[in-house]
Amino acid sequence: MDKVCAVFGGSRGIGRAVAQLMAQKGYRLAIVARNLEVARAAAGDLGGDHLAFSCDVAEERDVQNTFEEMEKKLGRVNFLVNAAGINRDSLLVRTKTEDMISQLHTNLLGSMLTCKVALKTMIQQQRGSIVNVGSVIGLKGNSGQSVYSAGKGGLVGFSRALAKEVARKKIRVNVVAPGFVHTDMTKDLKEEHLKKNIPLGRFGEPIDVAHAVVFLLESPYITGHVLVVDGGLQLVI
């Protein structure tokens, strides 16, 4: 059975760690990012016959074209990981409307669109597995991150509803909700202060989350689940 997986946001951070782990497990990968050269570099680092694609996940036609190209070059996509995300942290009263829209487009609408297009092939195959990367902030909220929280919280509701819609087609949909993880998104945070509130006493690494993503991708009897990977942070915030 072909194991073809599209990893959106696969050129860096959590998405890149997911791709590296899946490559080791024998998947054929489509590494998708906005910047094609960055995606190519990430795909090249994996070795093998993995390929790179550029896509703006907020544009449905772009998403559709990307999946068509992936199918021509790699075969039918039966695994999907949505790891693309941005943040524009600010108090709501100071947040520009365009920053609200850009966050929601990437963090929520983008995953909706990639799932919508991917499902057309998965339904034909009567099999498929999707993991959307959310955030513990989408479950608990955080001051200065109301818009980011809305997008990631919406991703949970969307994924659980979608899991109900497609279960009869033997397609599973799950969410991984990381806490503070060493990525570009967290590089400017005050780590020494924040990790005092993490029971395990440290930020996570992308590979910590990648293991959870792959676990859900491959678990045949889990769907509609939110797996929190945060070192215990949800226990205290």
Side-chain angles (χ1 to χ4, degrees):
M1 179 177 67
D2 289 339
K3 298 194 297 184
V4 179
C5 180
V7 184
F8 283 78
S11 65
R12 60 185 183 138
I14 291 170
R16 186 164 188 158
V18 169
Q20 291 169 340
L21 185 57
M22 296 185 76
Q24 294 170 13
K25 294 171 71 68
Y27 288 80
R28 298 183 70 201
L29 296 169
I31 306 301
V32 190
R34 284 196 180 210
N35 186 305
L36 182 57
E37 293 306 313
V38 172
R40 281 175 174 162
D45 287 344
L46 298 175
D49 56 356
H50 312 294
L51 297 178
F53 302 85
S54 64
C55 181
D56 181 351
V57 295
E59 296 294 335
E60 185 170 11
R61 175 45 57 188
D62 201 9
V63 174
Q64 181 68 54
N65 291 340
T66 299
F67 271 92
E68 290 175 359
E69 187 179 0
M70 286 190 289
E71 186 166 327
K72 289 177 182 177
K73 294 181 177 180
L74 287 172
R76 291 184 173 184
V77 174
N78 36 47
F79 296 88
L80 170 64
V81 176
N82 283 308
I86 61 172
N87 65 340
R88 301 283 188 272
D89 292 350
S90 177
L91 296 175
L92 183 62
V93 294
R94 298 176 182 171
T95 303
K96 297 178 180 179
T97 301
E98 54 265 35
D99 287 337
M100 295 182 189
I101 293 171
S102 64
Q103 287 187 79
L104 293 173
H105 274 182
T106 299
N107 298 341
L108 180 56
L109 179 62
S111 293
M112 289 179 168
L113 291 176
T114 59
C115 287
K116 177 183 177 181
V117 176
L119 281 172
K120 296 175 182 177
T121 295
M122 291 181 179
I123 289 171
Q124 291 175 355
Q125 298 180 92
Q126 292 284 292
R127 65 186 177 94
S129 182
I130 298 170
V131 174
N132 295 319
V133 178
S135 171
V136 70
I137 301 303
L139 304 176
K140 296 294 185 179
N142 194 35
S143 177
Q145 292 186 295
S146 59
V147 178
Y148 182 77
S149 180
K152 293 299 188 179
L155 190 62
V156 170
F158 163 73
S159 300
R160 283 179 160 163
L162 185 60
K164 291 183 179 181
E165 286 184 19
V166 299
R168 68 186 184 279
K169 301 295 185 181
K170 298 181 175 61
I171 300 165
R172 297 178 300 102
V173 185
N174 291 289
V175 177
V176 170
F180 293 115
V181 177
H182 285 131
T183 65
D184 289 345
M185 194 176 290
T186 62
K187 65 183 180 181
D188 294 326
L189 297 180
K190 298 178 180 179
E191 182 174 346
E192 289 303 313
H193 172 72
L194 290 170
K195 71 182 185 181
K196 294 177 183 178
N197 292 321
I198 302 173
L200 289 184
R202 67 174 178 88
F203 275 25
E205 300 299 333
I207 192 63
D208 296 326
V209 184
H211 280 294
V213 171
V214 176
F215 167 74
L216 287 178
L217 278 176
E218 297 184 332
S219 296
Y221 201 57
I222 301 177
T223 194
H225 185 69
V226 180
L227 179 54
V228 177
V229 185
D230 68 350
L233 182 65
Q234 85 283 1
L235 300 173
V236 295
I237 66 171

